[in-house]
Every structure is written in structure tokens, then in C-alpha cells.
Amino acid sequence: MAAGFEMAGKPTTTTHEDAPVVMLVHGMWSRPHVWDNFRQFFEARGYRVITPTLRFHDTEPGDAPHPCLGETSLSDYLEGLICEIGRLRTKPLVIGHSMGGLLAHILAARGFARAVVGLAPAQNAGVFNHDLRSVWIFRREFVRRGFWREPQLPSFEAMRYGVMNRLPERDREDLYSTLIHESGRVTLEIGFWFLDRQRTTWINPADVACPMLFMTGTEDKLTPLWLTHRLAEPYGEKLKVEALRGHSHWLPAEPGWERIAERAAAFFETEAPEIARRMAAQAAPGLRGLVTAYQAAR
């Protein structure tokens, strides 16, 4: 099983310690349950699936957010994910949604991922989201003095417009009722990265030594498709971008999520190994071993 990507034979319903690991990283306002569909899909395919809870996201909807949440950094979330990976016997395949897609991107740059699929990934530093639709979603939060120190949760109206706009109308209130507050500091680190003295979301594309696939919906108003293409510009063949026709932002649970999960699995099982081989062939001798290690892992 080259690089832990390829599954031999037909999918199996049995998962075990030696099975390839898929880590599913949730996004803003969310919890691991958003991945229930994906978790069941990949477990049925024979993967071992882990769905970590980001720091201070273990509260219930309607509960007061943790008092430290507002000033929690994306680097705190990343630290928790790296600790989780440290308990594994292998580097995982990582799928991240929105903010989770950015975290997956950073994990790839730090050598903690074997391959990455980003679903509507948030932007990293150097890429500015100037789409007015995205600004409208956060308009209430951005006008609050010191919003970067406070937990935040956009209104149902804003989420209905820009995040849940391709969900059936009957499901939107139900989904909103499951959401929790997010860190104001993280909102600043992503949306106003140029004000972040810690450079939390800065990524050197040369540090990414694994294959990546980013998928974004054509109806996404929060992380629009043009933004995803802009993220991909420095990466050449190591990163593929695909448009999801008719999809919006809440990709793990929108109707048609099955096709997205199948596409992610196909990337891990067939395309990522080939991309890794090309990366190894093109790498400088001193770097070639980093990529070759993925191919030799089992």
C-alpha cells in the first residue's frame, strides 16, 4: 500500500491499527459530529478515522463559550492536532473543512500529513479575501470593538445567506442550532492576517511536500472558488483545484456529500501516489527522501 494511499482489493468494513488513517478536521463554529457522514463512509472503505475536537470546541450549543475561547489562537488548534498525530503510528491523510482546511494546509507544510484534501479551505496569509459577500457574513462581528478578543457566532440570517445557502430550507435552522461560538482571535488571524504579528497563517509553499486537493463549491459565498484558485497558484502540480457545481460552503453535509467523499477517497487511493512519485522525481537530491518516505510507508 504505497504511502498509505492505496487500498488493496475491495472496500472492507473492518478497520484496524494498521489501516491507513484519515483525520477529519472540522471548521469554525463546528464540532466533530459534522463529519458523521464522512466518518461512516471512510470506515466502510477500510480506513481508520479520527475526528479530533479543536480546543474549547467541546461545549454544547447554547452553552456559554469557554472563557478563554475568544483569545485562543489557530496555533493552539494546530498544537492539539499535532499532539493527536503524535499518538498515531503513521502520518494521516487529512481532510479539513473551511478553517479545518487551512489547518490541514499548515499540517502539510510542517510535514505532519501524507496527503491533504481541503473542502472550501480558508485562506492563508498572503491571500486576501476581498469578496464583499464574505464581509457581509461577518458584518456584525467586524464592527464590534475588540472582536478579536471575544467569542463570535454570526447570526442565523448571515449563515443562511452565506454558509448554508445550498442546504434544504427545512435543514437550515436545525443546523444552526448545532453551532457553537468561535474564537475572535482566529477570525482575525485568518481574515486580517496582515495585522497578526505572530504570522500564524504564513505558509512557505516550498515546505509542502505532499499531494493536495482543494474542492470548493461554485455557490460558496464565504470562501469563494476564485479564492481557492488563488491559494493554489504557488503550488503547481502538487495541488489540484476542483469546482463543485451547485455546492456552497457546508460541504460535509450538503446534499451530494457522497460524491465529495468518493472524490476524496479516489484522490488518496489513485492520484496522490502518482503525484508523490512525480514530486520525488522532480525534487532536489536532498529533498527526494522526504517524498520517497511517503511511498515506502505501509
Side-chain angles (χ1 to χ4, degrees):
M1 190 180 300
F5 295 125
E6 299 163 341
M7 298 293 293
K10 297 181 179 180
T12 173
T13 57
T14 301
T15 57
H16 50 83
E17 291 298 316
D18 294 327
V21 178
V22 173
M23 172 183 277
L24 306 175
V25 185
H26 66 78
M28 281 186 165
W29 318 296
S30 192
R31 295 171 295 152
H33 80 281
V34 71
W35 292 114
D36 285 350
N37 291 331
F38 272 65
R39 178 180 53 77
Q40 294 171 17
F41 171 88
F42 277 96
E43 286 180 348
R45 206 172 180 92
Y47 290 86
R48 179 184 169 198
V49 180
I50 57 176
T51 55
T53 302
L54 297 180
R55 187 169 298 185
F56 302 138
H57 285 66
D58 53 355
T59 59
E60 292 297 319
D63 290 351
H66 191 283
C68 296
L69 175 66
E71 297 187 275
T72 300
S73 170
L74 200 73
S75 62
D76 296 317
Y77 298 165
L78 189 68
E79 179 184 357
L81 295 176
I82 292 173
C83 288
E84 189 80 24
I85 292 171
R87 290 191 283 267
L88 302 174
R89 296 173 58 186
T90 182
K91 294 179 183 179
L93 308 164
V94 183
I95 302 178
H97 173 235
S98 194
M99 176 185 70
L102 171 57
L103 286 165
H105 190 178
I106 297 173
L107 287 173
R110 297 194 182 185
F112 289 103
R114 182 161 289 131
V116 162
V117 171
L119 304 182
Q123 74 268 21
N124 55 279
V127 181
F128 185 69
N129 184 357
H130 54 72
D131 197 303
L132 293 180
R133 298 173 302 174
S134 302
V135 175
W136 191 89
I137 295 169
F138 288 99
R139 69 195 187 284
R140 184 182 67 176
E141 284 66 40
F142 289 165
V143 299
R144 290 178 177 171
R145 184 179 180 86
F147 77 86
W148 55 88
R149 295 190 296 266
E150 302 294 333
Q152 55 85 12
L153 175 62
S155 67
F156 172 71
E157 177 188 10
M159 299 289 278
R160 180 179 180 274
Y161 163 79
V163 176
M164 304 184 292
N165 49 301
R166 294 302 293 176
L167 284 170
E169 187 69 37
R170 66 182 181 275
D171 295 338
R172 296 178 188 178
E173 288 192 18
D174 289 342
L175 172 59
Y176 189 77
S177 70
T178 70
L179 302 182
I180 61 174
H181 285 78
E182 188 52 69
S183 163
R185 179 172 174 179
V186 166
T187 303
L188 180 139
E189 290 171 343
I190 296 175
F192 297 92
W193 50 265
F194 45 88
L195 299 177
D196 177 22
R197 296 181 180 178
Q198 303 304 315
R199 298 168 58 91
T200 308
T201 68
W202 284 91
I203 297 173
N204 181 358
D207 291 337
V208 176
C210 72
M212 299 194 297
L213 167 66
F214 288 174
M215 294 187 282
T216 297
T218 56
E219 306 301 316
D220 193 327
K221 300 175 183 178
L222 181 59
T223 57
L225 183 60
W226 69 261
L227 184 69
T228 305
H229 281 289
R230 178 67 182 84
L231 295 177
E233 288 177 1
Y235 289 100
E237 294 184 351
K238 73 172 71 170
L239 170 57
K240 302 182 68 174
V241 174
E242 295 181 2
L244 299 173
R245 299 294 172 189
H247 279 282
S248 181
H249 189 74
W250 209 257
L251 298 176
E254 287 182 10
W257 67 265
E258 300 92 339
R259 293 188 297 275
I260 300 172
E262 289 167 359
R263 180 68 189 95
F267 177 74
F268 288 149
E269 295 166 12
T270 60
E271 295 169 55
E274 179 56 34
I275 294 172
R277 281 189 285 271
R278 290 200 300 268
M279 290 171 63
Q282 296 168 4
L287 300 177
R288 191 169 297 151
L290 296 177
V291 179
T292 304
Y294 294 135
Q295 300 174 345
R298 294 187 181 274

